[in-house]
Amino acid sequence: MLRPEEGQRHFALTRPAAHPGLGTWIERYWTVRWSLPPGAPYLSSVLTHPAVHLTVESGDGPRHGLEMPEALVTGVVTKRFDVLLRGEGRVFGVKFRPGGFGAFTGQDAATYTDRAVRLTEAIPDGAAAIRAAILGADDDAERISLMDEFLLARRPAPDPSYERLLEIVADLLADRELTSVQAVCDRYRVGPRTLQRMFRRYVGVGPKWVLQRFRLHDAQLMLDSGEVDDLADLAARLGWFDQAHFNRDFRDVVGVPPGAYAARRS
């Protein structure tokens, strides 16, 4: 979430855990609630993860080009994700692990990249029933239980290729020294084309995009914390050729260069 301190003045965000039996594919659930004064909408912006989301949404006005309430599957969003919140509304979401949706459903995740489709299109079996149940539930505890049941009943068989992907993605996320696709290939003894096919199939985007997005997340978190004094040093530590390239990549996704983003926080 960009400018998290500002966002939390306009909506309430929680991140409850999913059932442990879903942990191979699901990172967590999440909920957002808002109640804004008439004529005072809020634009919420997110620097997205390489993850597919399943959401059940209700609120004032259309979003994603669809009238609410609706249950949706949203693929990896390669640019900044913006949503205009107004009036009152609620979203209950499922965040899949990178590659988790492709492994869970057996579908090619790339077909969903930069798209939002109705759940009835992505997972037809039981989609209408779970949508109605989540919308009719009294509280988040009931919604969690309902979604756990829905997903547990559809767990797939183990997939060694996906498990290998999870290992690679975890390394990309944790190790800021990994700043090139070739370094990933060397560490895991896998060819660039094989790695590319694996990421496109399960995640929906290539390894280069995932690697850069994780490093942009690192940069954003450090800027949000106020711990960055030297942008050139930050760029070098996170693998950019120079500060100019870092500024361009950050601006292309976030909308403003890193210096302006940090100044907004101040």
Side-chain angles (χ1 to χ4, degrees):
M1 181 172 27
L2 297 174
R3 302 181 299 278
E5 293 179 356
E6 176 186 319
Q8 289 170 13
R9 294 197 296 268
H10 294 84
F11 54 80
L13 170 67
T14 63
R15 298 184 174 99
H19 189 282
L22 296 168
T24 300
W25 307 275
I26 308 299
E27 183 173 323
R28 63 171 180 262
Y29 297 149
W30 55 273
T31 71
V32 173
R33 291 176 178 271
W34 66 95
S35 181
L36 302 174
Y42 176 71
L43 182 67
S44 175
S45 299
V46 176
L47 183 58
T48 55
H49 288 79
V52 174
H53 292 260
L54 187 166
T55 54
V56 182
E57 310 186 11
S58 60
D60 295 336
R63 297 213 303 253
H64 311 287
L66 301 170
E67 291 293 335
M68 298 296 107
E70 190 54 89
L72 303 171
V73 168
T74 303
V76 174
V77 178
T78 58
K79 297 296 184 180
R80 188 182 69 190
F81 180 78
D82 292 333
V83 60
L84 187 66
L85 305 179
R86 54 190 174 191
E88 295 186 3
R90 184 186 75 222
V91 180
F92 181 89
V94 179
K95 181 182 180 183
F96 286 84
R97 295 189 183 280
F101 181 81
F104 191 88
T105 64
Q107 300 178 47
D108 186 338
T111 64
Y112 293 92
T113 299
D114 287 320
R115 296 177 64 218
V117 303
R118 289 183 173 89
L119 180 60
T120 50
E121 177 182 334
I123 309 176
D125 175 35
I130 189 62
R131 171 186 176 273
I134 293 292
L135 289 171
D138 291 331
D139 54 38
D140 283 340
E142 184 179 356
R143 295 181 189 100
I144 291 167
S145 178
L146 288 165
M147 189 59 74
D148 280 344
E149 183 180 359
F150 175 77
L151 294 172
L152 285 167
R154 290 159 177 79
R155 282 182 295 180
D159 181 346
S161 295
Y162 170 58
E163 292 169 4
R164 178 69 162 165
L165 174 80
L166 279 181
E167 182 183 1
I168 296 172
V169 169
D171 215 4
L172 296 184
L173 182 61
D175 188 352
R176 290 177 178 173
E177 300 299 317
L178 274 176
T179 57
S180 73
V181 173
Q182 188 57 56
V184 178
C185 292
D186 292 344
R187 179 174 295 185
Y188 286 92
R189 299 181 181 178
V190 60
R193 290 185 180 179
T194 299
L195 191 69
Q196 175 76 12
R197 285 195 298 270
M198 180 187 297
F199 270 73
R200 295 289 297 179
R201 153 69 179 87
Y202 287 99
V203 185
V205 289
K208 182 178 179 180
W209 186 93
V210 173
L211 189 60
Q212 185 184 77
R213 182 52 54 94
F214 282 161
R215 299 294 81 86
L216 282 172
H217 280 146
D218 291 336
Q220 179 214 340
L221 289 171
M222 285 187 273
L223 291 169
D224 280 333
S225 71
E227 64 183 73
V228 177
D229 296 320
D230 187 337
L231 289 174
D233 177 67
L234 175 65
R237 282 190 287 143
L238 295 179
W240 271 270
F241 178 73
D242 55 27
Q243 185 180 343
H245 285 82
F246 170 56
N247 287 350
R248 180 199 63 201
D249 290 343
F250 192 96
R251 183 188 64 242
D252 285 350
V253 178
V254 176
V256 296
Y261 181 82
R264 283 186 181 185
R265 178 187 181 279
S266 301

